[in-house]
Amino acid sequence: MPRAVVQRIDRAEPFALAVVLRAEGSTPCKAGAKAIVDATGAIEGTVGGGAVEAEVQRRAIEAIRSSSGQVFDFSLHGGEGPVCGGSMRVLIDPSAAQHRAAHAAAAEALGRRARGVLLTTVARREPKTHPSEGQAAGAGQTVDVPHLTVSVRFLEEPAIARESDFPGAARLRAVLDGQQASWFDAGVAPDGTLQEVLVEPLIPRPVLLIVGGGHVGQALAALAGAVGFEIAVIDDRPEFADPERFPSGTTTRCGKIADEVAGFPIGPDTFIVLVTRSHEQDAEALAACLHRPAAYLGMIGSRRKVAHLRRAFLESGRATAEEFDRVYAPIGLDLGAVTVDEIAVSILAQLIAVRRRGMAPRMATRSEER
């Protein structure tokens, strides 16, 4: 989203940025969800769809026309409308162009695969109510509009330890490590304004390295981008490393499999799937990445093939039993998958489990099935 915001600003298009500041209970989106709404109500991104999104669009058009931001609370408690049962607080900010520097810094850092946090601080005075003439006290009407200001900052990870302003370095660190946006109530400022801060972790998309651009690799690439992976494909055949076979934005490399895998920048947020066209190439690719710090390493193949490679790696000294057993092989969750697309789904499900939980179920070996 930072890059999309900067692009809108640079095109000088009027828009409002809708940001979910807080979400409680069952809600369609959590804190940190964002959408860009233009002057016609067209929306990019989402803050939950349905009634809440319709209200966001209506208010965004109004905010763009008046150049006045607003914060509103939306309840999803039954009735004829939404029935999620939670509540959301949403910021509508038509002044996002004033925060270009912060969004640009965030986009640039993500481009370098650097991590950080984006802080959105909202200060507002609540509207006061006064009884209308002829009304009893307590039956008030709103007679003034709350004053609202928004500020946005980006802190790259090394700068977090030096942060002293609210909510403080420890909380910022916790948000980044927890990889989940958090809302903090800063209380009432000396001038009487209520202050709240949304802290969003900005973390580069994990890289999915697919070694083998055949049918399974293509099917997996087609699915993985939708759940947040940045995709790279390696194959030694030019026709199977053709970018046209893969989703837009996929990086492709063509060359000797072992050399290309060895030269690929693998880090702790890299997920590797080995689905080449031969056992020999799988073995070469596995040897090239087995000792590198990937988040996930999976290899396609039958239990017999996996057992054969395991024995060969252990006997040749290329891996210890512990090192080889970190490989998810046979690959994927045991869904009973048969078709290429089903196999891709089973692999993607395993990738998601490792990404979100740090581990995933494995296919049973023959010895475990007995």
Side-chain angles (χ1 to χ4, degrees), residues 127-189:
K128 296 179 181 179
T129 58
H130 307 284
S132 299
E133 199 172 318
Q135 286 184 311
Q141 290 184 332
T142 298
V143 296
D144 61 344
V145 178
H147 176 68
L148 182 144
T149 59
V150 179
S151 61
V152 181
R153 291 192 300 144
F154 174 70
L155 293 176
E156 199 165 324
E157 187 169 12
I160 289 176
R162 302 189 297 272
E163 180 66 14
S164 59
D165 292 342
F166 184 86
R171 286 172 169 169
L172 298 183
R173 181 80 252 174
V175 168
L176 185 60
D177 291 343
Q179 300 187 22
Q180 185 170 341
S182 295
W183 173 87
F184 298 98
D185 184 356
V188 182

Side-chain angles (χ1 to χ4, degrees), residues 240-302:
F240 287 97
D242 183 351
E244 294 298 319
R245 290 182 179 264
F246 302 98
S248 175
T250 299
T251 298
T252 59
R253 295 189 176 197
C254 185
K256 186 178 178 182
I257 293 290
D259 292 345
E260 292 296 333
V261 172
F264 192 87
I266 294 172
D269 62 348
T270 305
F271 292 67
I272 306 172
V273 170
L274 307 181
V275 285
T276 74
R277 69 181 188 275
S278 71
H279 297 349
E280 292 76 17
Q281 288 190 324
D282 281 342
E284 292 172 2
L286 182 61
C289 63
L290 182 59
H291 301 288
R292 300 178 69 185
Y296 169 96
L297 176 54
M299 181 178 65
I300 201 166
S302 66

Side-chain angles (χ1 to χ4, degrees), residues 19-24 27 30-33 52 71-76 87-92 122 124 126 183 185 194-196:
V19 184
V20 177
L21 297 176
R22 183 176 66 177
E24 296 181 336
T27 58
K30 301 305 180 185
V52 64
V71 170
F72 72 97
D73 293 313
F74 192 90
S75 176
L76 297 97
S87 63
M88 301 167 66
R89 175 169 293 173
V90 183
L91 165 68
I92 307 293
V122 180
R124 58 195 173 108
E126 289 295 331
W183 173 87
D185 184 356
L194 303 174
Q195 297 185 81
E196 50 195 322

